[in-house]
């Protein structure tokens, strides 16, 4: 018996295999098939388990250590745009900057030391993601309470779900990581992200996912994307069959500059999406063609099976008819043999024919159904059943018959019935010494 992985896949399983490969970007078809088989071909469970594995959640089928989110961030062709903070201007500006510089250095150094020491005492609670959707919803509520409802449409799902939808729809995904403690976050949100032109541009061109790095879900994404400063934006798309970061925007960026940079990134990478759309369309056409071929094959197979079924039914009908004919022939032969044996038995049981000069004798002439005549002598004292047995023993007599007398016309009660349990004698039946009786065939009645 062939191993399960070597068996031929059904059409439904083939479709699920291609869909799973398209969703996950796994190049090895054997690995895709093995994963789906582990999940009993439940594609939703398999994809979710794959996404969990990519997000660092242990798979129920893979005990390997957790890994960061599987988004390609190491592409050397990634576009990076960093906006530096403006330098101080004038003597007053530089004086204020130099006076505050030691305090800033001391503050951030002590803060980093405190956070570093705190990690030894208590693990960062953000490292455990227990409710990723709740993290997103609470961030959106916080954002709208603080900055209003004029903003790009937030993707209300996990980061992995956003990646999956962007991959499925072949769209750009813009990721915004909100650093609540950073001094430029408020100004960026109020004066750049929430402007009408940025909102309209983002909503019409891409999916938009955002979360605070103070939330476990946002912290996990920040660990995967490895931002350097805030505000931080990352443009992600399907490139070379992998979700890849193709642009990084860091620092306080102005609305028009943001639109220009996003437009540049999209135009520089649009060919990859076009190529992927063509490949996907080609795969779909191939899949449709394969499905049509499979349907045509199945239709031809069903037609052949129906033809074979009718042929078998015809052969089976012919066999049954031959068997029934054979059984009928055997029954008829057995019936004839039994009838002949019964005729011989009754012939042997007949009393001897009396002499012509016997005082109680009478001569009866029987006219047979085939117009032949048979005559024999009987005694008046004998029962009508005797003449019936005599006629029954004759070869030319049918199996079922009755004896009819004329003048007056009547049927002689030769066999016992409920009304006449004992047949009368020939004398009681009113027969004369020379009698003509008619034998009527009842076989077909």
């Amino acid at each position: 018996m062939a191993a399960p992985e070597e068996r031929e896949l059904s059409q439904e399983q083939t479709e699920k295999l291609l869909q799973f490969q398209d969703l996950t970007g796994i190049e090895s078809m054997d690995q895709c098939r093995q994963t789906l088989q582990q999940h009993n071909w439940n594609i939703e469970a398999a994809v979710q388990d794959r996404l969990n594995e990519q997000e660092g959640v242990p798979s129920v089928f893979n005990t390997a250590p957790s890994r960061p989110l599987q988004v390609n961030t190491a592409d050397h062709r990634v576009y990076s745009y960093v906006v530096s903070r403006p330098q101080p201007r004038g003597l007053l500006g530089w004086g204020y900057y130099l006076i505050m510089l030691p305090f800033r250095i001391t503050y951030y150094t002590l803060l980093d030391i405190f956070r570093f020491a705190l990690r030894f005492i208590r693990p960062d609670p953000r490292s455990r993601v227990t409710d990723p959707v709740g993290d997103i919803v609470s961030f959106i509520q916080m954002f709208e309470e603080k900055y209003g409802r004029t903003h790009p449409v937030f993707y209300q799902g996990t980061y992995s779900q956003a990646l999956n939808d962007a991959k499925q729809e072949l769209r750009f995904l813009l990721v915004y990581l909100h650093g609540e403690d950073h001094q430029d976050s408020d100004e960026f949100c109020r004066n750049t992200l929430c402007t009408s032109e940025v909102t309209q541009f983002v909503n019409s061109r891409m999916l938009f996912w955002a979360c605070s790095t103070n939330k476990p879900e946002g912290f996990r994404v920040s660990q995967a994307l490895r931002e350097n400063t805030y505000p931080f934006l990352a443009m992600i798309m399907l490139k070379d069959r992998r979700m890849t970061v193709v642009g990084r925007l860091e620092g306080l960026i102005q609305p028009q500059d943001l639109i220009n940079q996003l437009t540049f990134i999209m135009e520089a990478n649009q060919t990859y999406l076009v190529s992927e759309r063509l490949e996907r369309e080609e795969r779909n056409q191939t899949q449709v063609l394969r499905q049509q071929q499979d349907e045509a094959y199945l239709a031809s197979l069903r037609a052949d099976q129906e033809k074979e079924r009718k042929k078998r039914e015809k052969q089976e009908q012919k066999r049954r008819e031959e068997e029934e004919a054979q059984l009928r022939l055997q029954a008829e032969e057995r019936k004839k043999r039994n009838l002949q044996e019964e005729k011989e038995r009754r012939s042997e049981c007949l009393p001897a024919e009396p002499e012509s000069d016997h005082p109680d004798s009478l001569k009866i002439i029987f006219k047979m159904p085939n117009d032949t005549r048979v005559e024999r002598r009987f005694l008046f004292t004998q029962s009508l059943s005797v003449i019936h047995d005599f006629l029954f023993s004759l070869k030319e007599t049918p199996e079922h018959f009755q004896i009819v007398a004329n003048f007056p016309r009547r049927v002689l009660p030769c066999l016992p019935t409920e009304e006449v349990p004992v047949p009368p004698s020939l004398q009681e039946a009113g027969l004369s010494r020379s009698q003509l009786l008619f034998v009527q065939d009842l076989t077909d009645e």
Side-chain angles (χ1 to χ4, degrees):
M1 182 180 296
E5 58 271 18
E6 296 176 353
R7 295 175 184 168
E8 184 177 356
L9 298 179
S10 65
Q11 177 64 27
E12 181 181 3
Q13 290 175 337
T14 302
E15 293 176 359
K16 288 185 176 181
L17 187 64
L18 293 174
Q19 185 178 3
F20 180 75
Q21 185 186 42
D22 188 45
L23 287 173
T24 59
I26 300 176
E27 296 183 359
S28 173
M29 293 296 288
D30 291 337
Q31 184 179 355
C32 292
R33 174 191 279 190
Q34 182 180 7
T35 303
L36 284 171
Q37 286 175 340
Q38 290 173 340
H39 292 82
N40 294 323
W41 293 93
N42 186 328
I43 189 168
E44 290 82 5
V47 171
Q48 186 59 49
D49 192 58
R50 177 67 179 176
L51 293 176
N52 290 342
E53 181 183 356
Q54 291 176 344
E55 295 177 7
V57 179
S59 169
V60 294
F61 296 102
N62 184 9
T63 59
S66 60
R67 300 186 304 226
L69 295 171
Q70 296 299 304
V71 176
N72 184 12
T73 59
D75 193 336
H76 65 278
R77 293 166 293 180
V78 61
Y79 176 79
S80 182
Y81 181 80
V82 181
V83 180
S84 302
R85 289 190 59 79
Q87 298 295 327
R89 294 184 179 180
L91 184 60
L92 184 61
W94 276 104
Y96 177 78
Y97 175 78
L98 293 175
I99 292 173
M100 296 301 297
L101 181 60
F103 294 99
R104 287 198 186 100
I105 295 175
T106 303
Y107 171 77
Y108 286 111
T109 301
L110 292 176
L111 182 62
D112 290 339
I113 294 174
F114 175 75
R115 289 175 176 174
F116 181 77
L118 190 61
R119 292 180 184 177
F120 289 95
I121 302 174
R122 178 172 62 90
D124 194 332
R126 297 179 300 174
S127 61
R128 293 183 57 86
V129 182
T130 57
D131 185 14
V133 176
D135 294 342
I136 302 302
V137 173
S138 63
F139 167 72
I140 295 175
Q141 293 175 348
M142 180 276 296
F143 189 93
E144 291 182 343
E145 290 175 358
K146 192 171 184 179
Y147 304 111
R149 295 182 175 274
T150 302
H151 56 75
V153 177
F154 291 109
Y155 184 93
Q156 298 192 20
T158 67
Y159 176 62
S160 295
Q161 291 171 342
L163 286 175
N164 184 62
D165 283 356
K167 181 176 182 180
Q168 283 294 99
E169 301 172 13
L170 292 178
R171 298 180 64 184
F172 289 97
L173 173 64
L174 181 62
V175 174
Y176 168 60
L177 295 178
H178 182 73
E180 295 183 10
D181 300 330
H182 198 274
Q183 55 189 342
D184 292 333
S185 295
D186 280 349
E187 183 178 351
F188 172 78
C189 292
R190 295 182 190 279
N191 301 329
T192 298
L193 190 59
C194 294
T195 58
S196 59
E197 57 266 33
V198 171
T199 298
Q200 183 178 359
F201 179 83
V202 173
N203 290 342
S204 62
R205 303 290 185 90
M206 62 199 71
L207 296 177
F208 182 66
W209 185 91
C211 191
S212 170
T213 55
N214 287 349
K215 303 290 184 180
E217 177 73 353
F219 178 73
R220 179 174 57 175
V221 177
S222 71
Q223 296 296 302
L225 298 181
R226 299 189 296 274
E227 77 284 4
N228 296 313
T229 186
Y230 298 99
F232 174 80
L233 294 164
M235 183 73 85
I236 303 176
M237 60 169 288
L238 183 63
K239 181 178 180 182
D240 299 329
R241 307 195 70 177
R242 295 185 61 185
M243 295 303 289
T244 304
V245 176
V246 294
R248 298 167 62 93
L249 305 178
E250 299 178 273
L252 183 58
I253 186 171
Q254 299 304 311
Q256 190 57 49
D257 195 14
L258 174 60
I259 293 175
N260 293 339
Q261 296 300 323
L262 292 178
T263 302
F264 176 80
I265 295 172
M266 293 174 64
E267 291 177 351
N269 294 276
Q270 190 67 35
T271 55
Y272 294 102
L273 286 184
V274 173
S275 176
E276 182 61 32
R277 289 192 183 98
L278 293 176
E279 290 182 8
R280 185 171 294 184
E281 183 178 354
E282 183 178 353
R283 287 197 301 270
N284 292 338
Q285 291 177 352
T286 302
Q287 183 176 348
V288 170
L289 179 60
R290 187 185 300 115
Q291 183 177 357
Q292 292 175 348
Q293 292 174 344
D294 291 342
E295 290 176 354
Y297 169 76
L298 291 176
S300 176
L301 180 61
R302 284 193 292 268
D304 293 341
Q305 291 174 343
E306 181 66 17
K307 187 184 299 183
E308 184 66 23
R309 185 186 64 82
K310 291 182 178 180
K311 181 179 179 181
R312 288 196 304 269
E313 288 182 352
K314 188 175 182 180
Q315 292 175 346
E316 181 66 18
Q317 180 67 21
K318 182 179 179 181
R319 184 189 64 80
R320 285 198 300 268
E321 291 176 354
E322 291 177 350
E323 289 182 353
E324 291 173 358
Q326 184 68 20
L327 292 175
R328 286 195 298 269
L329 181 60
Q330 292 175 357
E332 290 176 0
E333 291 178 352
R334 184 167 56 254
K335 184 176 179 181
K336 290 180 180 179
R337 185 169 58 253
N338 293 338
L339 180 62
Q340 184 61 33
E341 291 176 355
E342 181 65 15
K343 286 177 178 290
E344 293 175 356
R345 186 185 66 79
R346 295 195 185 187
S347 177
E348 293 174 355
C349 295
L350 284 174
E353 183 178 5
E355 298 293 336
S356 58
D357 56 353
H358 193 286
D360 290 333
S361 69
L362 72 159
K363 183 176 72 172
I364 301 176
I365 299 174
F366 300 98
K367 187 175 182 182
M368 307 301 291
N370 58 0
D371 292 334
T372 60
R373 292 175 181 265
V374 176
E375 65 178 57
R376 189 183 189 277
R377 289 186 298 278
F378 299 89
L379 295 177
F380 278 108
T381 57
Q382 292 175 338
S383 173
L384 285 176
S385 60
V386 175
I387 64 174
H388 184 276
D389 290 345
F390 166 72
L391 291 172
F392 184 82
S393 65
L394 298 178
K395 183 177 181 181
E396 61 271 22
T397 306
E399 180 180 3
H400 301 288
F401 61 91
Q402 65 182 8
I403 303 172
V404 181
N406 283 339
F407 310 112
R409 180 178 175 81
R410 65 191 188 280
V411 177
L412 300 180
C414 299
L415 298 176
T417 61
E418 293 182 359
E419 294 81 6
V420 185
V422 179
S425 65
L426 274 64
Q427 187 175 8
E428 292 172 342
L431 299 183
S432 61
R433 286 190 177 276
S434 180
Q435 183 73 45
L436 176 63
L437 299 177
F438 297 88
V439 180
Q440 291 184 347
D441 190 356
L442 301 179
T443 303
D444 295 334
E445 295 183 5

